[in-house]
Amino acid sequence: MFADTASVSRRSHLTGTRSPDLVGVTVVVDEMTISVFSGGQSAARTCWAGTVVPSLQVLLGESTLAPHDPSQDLGMASFSRSCRIHSGAQILRGLAPVALTALLFLGVASTAGAQQYPNTTFNYTTEMNEAVTHLWDQLLFWATLVFVIVEVGILYIIFKFKARPDSPDPKQVHGNTALEIAWTAIPAVILAFITVPTVKTIFMTQAKAPADALQVEVIGHQWWWEFRYPQYGITTANELYLPVGRTVNFKLNTSDVLHSFWIPRLGGKRDLISNRTNYLWMTPRDSMALKALNGSCTEYCGESHANMKFRTFTVTKEQFASWAAHQKGPAVYGAVTPPAVGVTPAVAGAAATTKSGQVGTELADAPTPAPVGFVFPREKLDASTMPTATPPSSIAFTAGLTGDVERGRQVYSRSSCIGCHKISGNPMSAGVLGPNLTHFGSRYTFGSAVYENTTENLVRWIKNAPAMKPGSLMPAIGNGEYNPAIKAKVTMGGLSDQQIADVAAYLLALK
Ligand code: CUA
């Protein structure tokens, strides 16, 4: 197109001698100068170069419709070529963000991103997510193919049929049967390519799990996860052990509101609904042995929905058998008592251990740890699977207190703790409302995997759990702490910091 500053006669002349290949070039003429640019000011200088300018000046110096001059054509031809090259570069620059986005997208989508993106869903780690990821790949392929064909067609039509000065009206058409059949049939074929594998995947993932599958009952609570292994008589919370190479069949229920169970790296997700049982099954590949994976609730379920997480540890069958054999039994005390609060962790002493859950008095001569079965190795936990949350500074705790396991057991056994929590081996502790704490000391996290299981975090949690997790049904227990459940400070029955340190020592010793 040509700018209005050129006179009609000059513009006509320019139109007549312009190379037909020239795309998107604007010529601006004023009294003193001639500027040529295509698509932007930055291009102007390039287009001035070479033989263009003299040719144009000669051309525009003539005041009226000049007769066609071959030498001017020559100038215009080289001018158009130089501008076309420049236009190509500009198009590439314009496409750069699109290409970068596409590259980023492909990077995220690739399975190689599992290390960099610990919660990626593009995995081939179970037959379940292999089927789903494969389906996704197919959809992406067809969608990309359609996108490229349509975009190329649009660009072609834009440039090929764009209005040019003096071009006649386009030919008017009223329907094209062949075209209409084509644009109905082609999407139908594409949809068939998508439908068949989609329906196949739906049937595959909704089928019943094999009869010999590991059964795990998942019960959602506001806001934590209960895991039961009925074949092994195990009840645990927030940390899920799964053997590789064996299908696990999750039976999903909720004790209160809707939740949704999701382990991104293994596949899923599926809702926990109050009046029906949902199932979800998958078989972690052997290559997934000794992996720590994140899990979370993905259905809004109240104020601590975002704090409803869990950990999954995929282990070998032998490791699972060892873990399960120990978990089935009552708690045993670990060999190492927890460090004092506010003191650098160190081995503070050794407690004798007995299977009966009684701490022996012969502290001096019993450094041998009790056999506690397999526990997922700490060094295999990476930054993405260890919680980093810290208790709010509003929960003050006396520094330097050392918890005593036996005192802690006594305090715990006559406190309100036993109304909600169960500890096998402690007959006083038989509650079922809260997480089962039988092997609490062998867990890496607590509070639904929101806090690392350390003395520092645990004492504050016992003192004032609602301050560490909004809406927590576990009440504040520390003396003088505000308990939102009764809208008052804890006075009667509250625990002192020393008592809390003792209870924490007891819980952390439960291996
Ligand atoms: Cu449970 Cu969100």
Side-chain angles (χ1 to χ4, degrees), residues 23-37:
V23 171
V25 169
T26 306
V27 178
V28 180
V29 183
D30 61 28
E31 283 182 348
M32 300 298 295
T33 59
I34 305 166
S35 305
V36 183
F37 55 89

Side-chain angles (χ1 to χ4, degrees), residues 339-343 391 397 453-461 468 508:
V341 179
V343 172
F397 201 86
N453 196 4
T454 64
T455 304
E456 297 296 322
N457 289 339
L458 186 59
V459 291
R460 288 168 176 82
W461 175 265
M468 287 173 67
L508 286 169

